[in-house]
Amino acid sequence: MKVYVFLSVKSVISLIFAVLFLFVPEVSAGWFGLDVAGAGSMLLQLLGAFFLGIALISFFSARSEAALTIRNVMLSFGILDTLAFFINLFGQINGQTNSAGIIFLILWAFFAIGAWVYYFKGSLSV
């Protein structure tokens, strides 16, 4: 798979979660067994803004032909996605989310592995 396909998929999935968390935070959190009220709703909307940023960065860098740019973006995404995977893993282990939380776990694992693969492939993936 070429890097632009990976970044395009990441962009679409991030955009979906951005819209959900920005506009219906309580409902989308409920799907994953999270109980949010008041400030929790605001934090989910903030998470939605971050997802929107990830979607836009992925979208605009997907067609970049500069190998160094792709490598730097992949390093950043690799660190972000690895941290997010472990945070979700510990939340899943501690029972903070229901079984639907495994969706996030699988997505973050896929994104982290993909980002690290494309980072180490470097200019070969452009």
Side-chain angles (χ1 to χ4, degrees), residues 18-112:
V19 169
L20 287 173
F21 287 144
L22 280 171
F23 298 111
V24 285
E26 291 91 2
V27 173
S28 56
W31 294 338
F32 299 99
L34 299 172
D35 184 30
V36 296
S41 177
M42 185 210 57
L43 285 175
L44 279 178
Q45 288 176 320
L46 185 61
L47 179 64
F50 289 132
F51 270 120
L52 183 60
I54 291 170
L56 292 174
I57 291 169
S58 298
F59 178 77
F60 289 119
S61 62
R63 293 293 182 165
S64 176
E65 295 180 4
L68 184 58
T69 300
I70 295 297
R71 193 167 162 84
N72 291 337
V73 168
M74 287 300 124
L75 175 62
S76 301
F77 280 156
I79 293 168
L80 165 78
D81 296 339
T82 302
L83 287 172
F85 169 78
F86 282 114
I87 291 168
N88 280 299
L89 179 65
F90 295 139
Q92 191 71 32
I93 290 171
N94 292 330
Q96 294 173 340
T97 61
N98 61 17
S99 59
I102 294 175
I103 293 170
F104 275 129
L105 198 61
I106 292 169
L107 283 174
W108 286 118
F110 170 74
F111 290 148

Side-chain angles (χ1 to χ4, degrees), residues 5-24:
V5 175
F6 175 76
L7 286 172
S8 297
V9 169
K10 184 177 181 74
S11 176
V12 169
I13 292 173
S14 296
L15 184 63
I16 291 168
F17 282 110
V19 169
L20 287 173
F21 287 144
L22 280 171
F23 298 111
V24 285

